């Protein structure tokens, strides 16, 4: 959904570049491959990408500090979703120079960037270390077993789609887009896109997520709980807004990378 929203906001140059980088069989649809990084993370060749999907922060610190938090379990720096977004944006920035730097697979860089922009906006992807972003907090979502991470990854969206949209997520996506084109988030759109420096922006996106995780994700939840209407009703708008922000900001980055102007150099200046 994040990728569909982003693709709808691409300017002509960026839309063309994205289409050129995608394999023919998806007919120019970026969203068709946005889950690819999840599918390959456990393959031997791509096992190194597994830590790039999330950030573990100190329990109950409720803030994100790049130097402290962006590393894998072995302490290797930049191995987190915030570092990955910078890395793959940097790789893609070579595309327009015509060299399409052969050290990098540009198609993979596009898919990783798109996926990780979704991940960094999912609040439980910037969660507490001890429970692996809510993955080990087992609970019930209405009548079936789940965990807190899963609730924010998919349960809230699937429940909304089932309850309000006849299980059609494209209608839900249209509502999300309507909220920022001429709805409740219209006035926020320019601030979402505001980004002079990618390092600063990515830190902001991560900080937003851990803030929501603390105030709304973890709050009042313990292993063994049953979460239902109260939790769903009070969190749905937050999930929808994060999907919108992820899509808008992914489009902003791709438009800057692949556009005609020079702003991509500014974007990458300090990374």
């Amino acid at each position: 959904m994040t990728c569909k929203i982003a693709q709808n906001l691409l300017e002509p140059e960026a839309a063309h570049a994205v289409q050129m980088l995608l394999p023919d069989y998806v007919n120019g649809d970026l969203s068709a491959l946005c889950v690819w990084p999840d599918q390959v993370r456990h393959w031997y060749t791509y096992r190194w990408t597994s830590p790039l999907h999330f950030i573990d922060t100190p329990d109950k610190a409720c803030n994100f500090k790049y130097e402290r938090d962006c590393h894998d379990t072995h302490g290797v720096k930049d191995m987190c979703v915030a570092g990955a977004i910078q890395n793959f944006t940097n790789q893609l920035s070579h595309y327009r120079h015509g060299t399409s730097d052969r050290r990098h697979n540009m198609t993979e860089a596009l898919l990783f960037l798109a996926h990780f922009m979704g991940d960094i906006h999912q609040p439980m992807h910037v969660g507490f270390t001890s429970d692996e972003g809510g993955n080990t907090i087992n609970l019930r979502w209405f009548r079936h077993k789940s965990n807190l991470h899963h609730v924010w990854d998919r349960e809230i969206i699937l429940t909304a789609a089932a309850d309000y949209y006849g299980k059609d997520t494209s209608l839900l996506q249209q509502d999300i887009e309507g909220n920022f084109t001429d709805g409740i988030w219209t006035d926020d759109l320019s601030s979402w896109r505001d980004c002079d420096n990618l390092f600063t922006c990515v830190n902001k996106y991560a900080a937003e997520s851990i803030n929501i995780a603390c105030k709304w994700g973890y709050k009042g939840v313990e292993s063994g709980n049953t979460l239902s209407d109260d939790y769903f009703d009070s969190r749905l708008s937050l999930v929808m807004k994060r999907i919108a922000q992820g899509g808008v900001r992914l489009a902003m980055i791709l438009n800057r990378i692949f556009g005609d102007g020079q702003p991509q150099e500014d974007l990458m200046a300090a990374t």
Side-chain angles (χ1 to χ4, degrees):
M1 211 179 285
T2 299
C3 286
K4 284 180 177 176
I5 290 167
Q7 195 158 21
N8 289 339
L9 295 170
L10 293 181
E11 291 158 10
E13 298 88 354
H16 178 70
V18 167
Q19 187 160 8
M20 294 300 289
L21 286 171
L22 291 171
D24 292 342
Y25 65 84
V26 298
N27 296 316
D29 180 10
L30 176 61
S31 70
L33 287 172
C34 271
V35 295
W36 175 80
D38 271 345
Q39 294 166 340
V40 301
R41 62 186 293 184
H42 300 299
W43 297 6
Y44 181 78
T45 313
Y46 291 99
R47 202 175 293 165
W48 65 275
T49 67
S50 205
L52 303 182
H53 291 255
F54 58 88
I55 295 163
D56 283 338
T57 68
D59 290 10
K60 297 188 171 58
C62 293
N63 58 32
F64 168 66
K65 296 181 179 176
Y66 191 94
E67 288 298 318
R68 181 191 69 194
D69 303 330
C70 193
H71 55 79
D72 66 10
T73 52
H74 305 291
V76 179
K77 291 186 179 302
D78 304 316
M79 293 294 284
C80 79
V81 67
I85 289 169
Q86 294 173 83
N87 176 42
F88 290 114
T89 301
N90 190 31
Q91 289 186 24
L92 280 175
S93 70
H94 294 286
Y95 177 84
R96 228 186 35 174
H97 299 312
T99 61
S100 179
D101 193 323
R102 287 180 180 81
R103 290 172 302 169
H104 306 310
N105 181 321
M106 293 289 164
T107 299
E108 289 190 0
L110 172 65
L111 301 183
F112 279 125
L113 172 62
H115 181 90
F116 293 145
M117 281 297 287
D119 278 351
I120 202 170
H121 282 85
Q122 201 276 67
M124 301 306 294
H125 275 253
V126 192
F128 298 162
T129 303
S130 67
D131 56 54
E132 299 171 15
N135 271 296
T136 65
I137 300 177
N138 295 310
L139 43 75
R140 295 186 79 81
W141 179 251
F142 291 86
R143 292 196 181 95
H144 66 262
K145 290 180 179 178
S146 190
N147 66 60
L148 187 59
H149 187 93
H150 219 57
V151 164
W152 287 78
D153 245 2
R154 52 185 287 128
E155 305 284 17
I156 291 173
I157 285 294
L158 292 178
T159 299
D163 286 1
Y164 305 130
Y165 301 94
K167 297 189 177 178
D168 187 343
T169 53
S170 65
L171 294 176
L172 172 55
Q173 179 198 323
Q174 286 172 28
D175 261 8
I176 291 174
E177 290 174 318
N179 281 341
F180 65 74
T181 51
D182 55 6
I184 53 174
W185 304 322
T186 311
D187 293 340
D188 301 325
L189 201 57
S190 62
S191 68
W192 291 358
R193 286 190 176 121
D194 188 33
C195 183
D196 292 328
N197 171 288
L198 191 64
F199 179 74
T200 308
C201 298
V202 170
N203 281 319
K204 179 173 78 171
Y205 308 158
E208 290 169 351
S209 280
I210 184 60
N211 187 41
I212 296 169
C214 279
K215 286 184 178 174
W216 296 96
Y218 288 106
K219 198 173 181 73
V221 178
E222 294 179 15
S223 283
N225 284 168
T226 295
L227 303 182
S228 54
D229 287 331
D230 288 347
Y231 196 92
F232 169 68
D233 292 338
S234 54
R235 273 69 171 181
L236 175 59
S237 62
L238 287 162
V239 173
M240 291 173 70
K241 185 175 182 179
R242 293 306 276 167
I243 291 170
Q245 288 176 314
V248 167
R249 287 163 168 170
L250 172 58
M252 174 271 295
I253 290 174
L254 293 175
N255 283 330
R256 298 271 281 275
I257 293 171
F258 296 128
D260 275 343
Q262 290 301 108
Q264 70 160 28
E265 278 75 14
D266 300 338
L267 190 69
M268 298 305 303
T271 63

